[in-house]
Amino acid sequence: MILTVTPNPSLDRTYEVPSLDRGEVIRATGERMDPGGKGVNVSRAVAATGQRTVAVLPLGGAPGALVADLLDQQGIEVAPVPVAGATRSNIALAEADGVLTKINAPGPELTDAERELLLETVRQQSRDASWIACCGSLPRGLAPDWYADLVARTHAAGARIALDTSGPALLAALRERPDVVKPNAEELSEAVGRPLATVGDAVKAAEELREMGARAVLASLGADGQLLVSDRGAWFGSARVDAVRSNVGAGDSSLAGFLIAGGSGPEALASAVAHGAAAVRLPGSVMPTPADLDPAAVTVTADLPADRALTEPVS
Ligand SMILES: Nc1ncnc2c1ncn2[C@@H]1O[C@H](COP(=O)(O)OP(=O)(O)O)[C@@H](O)[C@H]1O
Ligand SMILES: O=P(O)(O)OC[C@H]1O[C@](O)(COP(=O)(O)O)[C@@H](O)[C@@H]1O
């Protein structure tokens, strides 16, 4: 079973708009609502493959009830932690030319009792977990070392940990040796404090994250593909996508693909790339099913294209 922990889930509202004009009334041409938050999306993608997954998440207020309903409709097993504050709503504005603007709200502040209940729920659910994916930003009330503490506790109980977060929460948790971390290019650059212009720059940064404690680094590089750096070696994977519809949740879908394929080595990287490529062909944060995957379009190589310039360099 793959357990996911999303301390700050969301109701994701995506509006399709012709274009963004600041200060004007913009009439949306389409709208959709999805249960969101990075671990929630990992659970949705794992469940789409038929594997068992449980999502642990605080839920509160009317948006929280809506998230619970939407997850129920999708058949996702949830271990909810009731909280007094309302679950946040995150807004994505998708322009006709493909540009996506996202507004991520801070979310409710968790009380001491809610924080304890969240930890206790993770502890109870982690008994049958092969992997625990700890994902997303931390809500107010959880200190930056919250993930570090969770990694230390769950490692002691024998589960493997995948971590997808950023900033101080990522840096603190690295010290507890998570089994894999999944930064995107911006998060990787922020963690090492350097710009990334080439695949080689990303490889060096991923190696540095391993020196800081990560056992493996699955770095997602947007349209350029993904990189896996671990004690078994380093590989680069990519897949060409002709029409990108939405990249919301593409990283989450990739992490799910990586975990369901065993969570290490080139086969898991190929699965991560296939899931990322499939996710961007789908609207909003719709997660791919096996029928959406095109494994034949994926290339994985140990011959790293170090000099290749990133399509979207991080400055
Ligand atoms: N424009 C794109 N074209 C093709 N694949 C993409 C594109 N954007 C994302 N992907 C796929 O989805 C993965 C995750 O996207 P990325 O933007 O790196 O992560 P995140 O969603 O975490 O920011 C990429 O590594 C790639 O495999
Ligand atoms: O916890 P954060 O960093 O605010 O991110 C939450 C948001 O990210 C998502 O999980 C999507 O993630 P990505 O587009 O980065 O893959 C949304 O569902 C959610 O609104």
Side-chain angles (χ1 to χ4, degrees):
M1 185 268 274
I2 295 174
L3 184 71
T4 65
V5 183
T6 313
N8 203 5
S10 53
L11 179 65
D12 284 354
R13 310 189 76 119
T14 307
Y15 295 97
E16 283 164 22
V17 296
S19 65
L20 283 185
D21 291 318
R22 290 179 64 204
E24 297 299 321
V25 173
I26 300 169
R27 303 268 172 205
T29 51
E31 63 180 316
R32 54 174 299 127
M33 247 180 347
D34 294 288
K38 297 195 192 303
V40 168
N41 292 339
V42 171
S43 274
R44 292 166 64 208
V46 171
T49 70
Q51 286 201 27
R52 182 159 178 244
T53 177
V54 176
V56 175
L57 62 160
L59 285 173
L66 211 42
V67 168
D69 268 3
L70 292 166
L71 287 171
D72 189 47
Q73 283 165 28
Q74 295 182 15
I76 311 296
E77 210 176 315
V78 170
V81 175
V83 295
T87 298
R88 63 185 170 154
S89 295
N90 286 347
I91 311 289
L93 302 170
E95 290 175 78
D97 63 1
V99 175
L100 192 78
T101 305
K102 296 199 259 186
I103 304 170
N104 286 8
E109 178 160 2
L110 301 196
T111 64
D112 290 352
E114 291 166 349
R115 196 174 55 221
E116 282 312 307
L117 187 57
L118 179 58
L119 277 176
E120 177 54 20
T121 308
V122 175
R123 195 187 63 76
Q124 281 172 11
Q125 295 293 332
S126 58
R127 287 195 196 109
D128 324 325
S130 53
W131 278 96
I132 304 178
C134 304
C135 306
S137 63
L138 293 173
R140 288 166 296 163
L142 298 194
D145 63 355
W146 192 80
Y147 278 131
D149 183 35
L150 191 67
V151 175
R153 288 176 192 229
T154 41
H155 258 165
R160 283 177 294 172
I161 310 293
L163 179 70
D164 180 1
T165 191
S166 54
L170 170 62
L171 294 179
L174 287 176
R175 292 195 286 274
E176 299 298 336
R177 310 225 55 209
D179 297 272
V180 63
V181 295
K182 206 257 3 119
N184 63 19
E186 257 175 41
E187 292 158 350
L188 186 57
S189 162
E190 186 193 16
V192 297
R194 287 196 303 275
L196 305 179
T198 63
V199 171
D201 291 344
V203 175
K204 281 203 192 92
E207 280 165 351
E208 209 167 303
L209 256 55
R210 290 197 65 232
E211 282 158 23
M212 291 156 85
R215 290 174 203 260
V217 178
L218 174 68
S220 65
L221 306 174
D224 295 303
Q226 299 180 32
L227 193 61
L228 175 63
V229 181
S230 71
D231 58 357
R232 287 180 56 194
W235 296 270
F236 177 76
S238 59
R240 212 168 55 85
V241 176
D242 292 327
V244 173
R245 282 187 76 180
S246 160
N247 62 8
V248 183
D252 308 331
S253 174
S254 302
L255 180 57
F258 186 74
L259 299 180
I260 60 179
S264 85
E267 307 76 22
L269 174 62
S271 173
V273 173
H275 277 78
V280 298
R281 286 191 215 105
L282 295 166
S285 71
V286 175
M287 293 290 135
T289 65
D292 298 311
L293 304 180
D294 183 7
V298 175
T299 313
V300 168
T301 176
D303 189 11
L304 304 178
D307 295 333
R308 186 182 298 175
L310 295 179
T311 317
E312 290 178 47
V314 190
S315 50

